[in-house]
Amino acid sequence: MALFIGALLAVVILVVAGDCKPKYDLTESAFTAKMTRRIDASPTKNTPIVFDLLLTNIGNDYNAKNGKFTTRIAGTYVFSLSLMSKSSPSKIAFGCLQKNGKEQLCVWSNGNNTKEMSSNMITINLKKGDVVDNVLKAGNNYALNNYGQAGYCSFTGFLLYPEVSVLEKLFKTIDTLSK
């Protein structure tokens, strides 16, 4: 018990002295990324959708090189997926948001000789290390359209409520008391 109290006192002293600041805020995670190219689906396997241009990336949880959001903070998140179909009677935008490789929601946008946009949104509970990404479904008639930097195809996510651990609550209380 004396060892625990001693360790707790050392943490309090470090926090009050300002020497123990977390690298990232434990309650902030938000990003918006847009796609800068067009994609045609593979006929046989799902094609990853990589939203390669970051507009916001608070917490650096979204990777614009591989299109994956990796959860750093456990909690409840909101994600939005917007896709635009090609202007063609045979090219349909059919993409799905996945959690750890399992479909959670999809977006369908039928071109019908005009460009059409569709969006979908989800609120989802994530654990630390969970991965959220998007795929263009396999098939000969699936494609995504985009005009350079316009951002017609985009992916947004943010932390709505963090799942706070006992240790994080303790640090937050100590920080509040030290002010």
Side-chain angles (χ1 to χ4, degrees):
M1 182 69 164
L3 181 60
F4 174 75
I5 292 172
L8 182 59
L9 182 58
V11 168
V12 170
I13 291 169
L14 287 172
V15 170
V16 171
D19 293 336
C20 185
K21 299 287 182 193
K23 185 174 180 181
Y24 295 109
D25 188 317
L26 297 175
T27 61
E28 294 181 353
S29 179
F31 73 94
T32 294
K34 60 184 181 177
M35 193 174 76
T36 60
R37 61 188 180 88
R38 297 175 182 188
I39 300 176
D40 285 301
S42 161
T44 58
K45 65 179 184 170
N46 292 343
T47 303
I49 303 172
V50 177
F51 297 89
D52 58 324
L53 184 61
L54 281 164
L55 301 176
T56 305
N57 198 13
I58 298 168
N60 295 316
D61 298 324
Y62 179 77
N63 184 325
K65 290 186 170 117
N66 65 16
K68 295 178 186 290
F69 173 87
T70 303
T71 309
R72 178 176 47 86
I73 304 166
T76 302
Y77 286 79
V78 176
F79 291 96
S80 173
L81 175 61
S82 297
L83 302 176
M84 182 173 159
S85 62
K86 285 188 173 182
S87 179
S88 166
S90 64
K91 292 295 182 180
I92 299 162
F94 183 22
C96 296
L97 180 141
Q98 304 180 132
K99 172 188 169 186
N100 299 326
K102 294 182 181 168
E103 285 182 16
Q104 302 298 305
L105 64 80
C106 293
V107 174
W108 176 273
S109 186
N110 191 355
N112 286 333
N113 289 322
T114 186
K115 296 168 183 73
E116 183 178 283
M117 289 190 65
S118 293
S119 296
N120 210 339
M121 183 181 284
I122 188 171
T123 304
I124 189 169
N125 293 319
L126 298 175
K127 296 181 202 131
K128 184 176 181 176
D130 281 346
V131 175
V132 176
D133 62 351
N134 300 281
V135 294
L136 182 61
K137 297 298 284 182
N140 291 323
N141 295 329
Y142 303 138
L144 299 179
N145 196 26
N146 201 58
Y147 291 112
Q149 304 296 318
Y152 294 110
C153 296
S154 64
F155 181 38
T156 296
F158 61 90
L159 176 63
L160 186 60
Y161 300 109
E163 180 184 292
V164 182
S165 72
V166 173
L167 185 57
E168 289 168 335
K169 286 179 186 177
L170 175 64
F171 281 133
K172 189 173 182 179
T173 303
I174 291 168
D175 189 42
T176 302
L177 293 174
S178 70
K179 292 181 181 177

